[in-house]
Amino acid sequence: MTELMLALDVLTRAEAMDIAEKTHPYIDAIKIGYPLVLGSGLSVARDLSEFDLPLIADFKVADIPNTNRLIAEHVFEAGFSGIITQGFTGRDSVSACVDVAHSAGGKCYVVTEMSHPGALDFMGEGIAERLAALAVECNADGIIAPATRPERVKALREIIGKKKILSPGVGAQGGSAEEIAPLIDSMIVGRSIYNSEDPAKAAQSYSFIRN
């Protein structure tokens, strides 16, 4: 089964709770990042925990090991179950996030290649493969790979084996759910759901990937 993860990049706690309430029967996890946390604080994780879904902190952490460790500690103390970190900062920085995540009973995912066109300026073929190999070496739980480029997902799968692939880019960025779902473990969808007039119906429209 491919899971559906809601990227909840709204700006207010009230909006986040409303959309989560409407969509939670049709999703398997929630991912939130800086837009919501800067507006509502890390405590929004406690509110969203009422829906009993894994909650991923998409902070794309990218700093020296000690700073990464401090950020990750705050994330898991706030009630998140996973964190996303950049891989380009190197082995020691990635390991800092992985170690904190695993100590907290959580997960850590490493960005290998992002879904927007500009990602290919510096994160395309060759670099992404090295980052995927680094994720394996550091015992991360999986990687972030682009739904907008299925051929790249296939290449990265060869490197990481059975580790998880979380894939953004379906919907607003043009990625095809039908094409990417068989290649990944979790499909990340944001604007196509939370900007819809009927978020519940929009989330339910992706239910075919969960079969």
Side-chain angles (χ1 to χ4, degrees), residues 7-92:
L8 196 52
D9 293 324
V10 295
L11 300 180
T12 68
R13 186 184 304 258
E15 190 176 7
M17 293 299 291
D18 178 61
I19 293 170
E21 173 66 37
K22 292 172 179 174
T23 61
H24 78 273
Y26 311 109
I27 62 177
D28 301 289
I30 296 173
K31 178 177 76 71
I32 66 174
Y34 290 118
L36 180 58
V37 169
L38 289 175
S40 302
L42 278 173
S43 63
V44 71
R46 301 292 182 191
D47 296 333
L48 290 168
S49 68
E50 74 174 65
F51 301 107
D52 198 28
L53 292 169
L55 187 62
I56 310 301
D58 184 10
F59 295 166
K60 297 183 179 67
V61 185
D63 216 308
I64 64 170
N66 186 63
T67 303
N68 277 13
R69 177 182 59 80
L70 294 173
I71 293 169
E73 286 174 351
H74 276 299
V75 162
F76 288 101
E77 287 169 3
F80 287 87
S81 52
I83 190 169
I84 294 173
T85 184
Q86 291 282 8
F88 63 76
T89 50
R91 185 176 296 102
D92 50 357

Side-chain angles (χ1 to χ4, degrees), residues 112-113 119-131 149 151-152 155-156:
T112 58
E113 185 175 318
L120 296 179
D121 290 345
F122 295 103
M123 300 179 74
E125 187 172 349
I127 299 299
E129 282 83 351
R130 290 175 61 187
L131 294 173
R149 292 184 286 278
E151 72 284 356
R152 300 293 300 126
L156 296 172

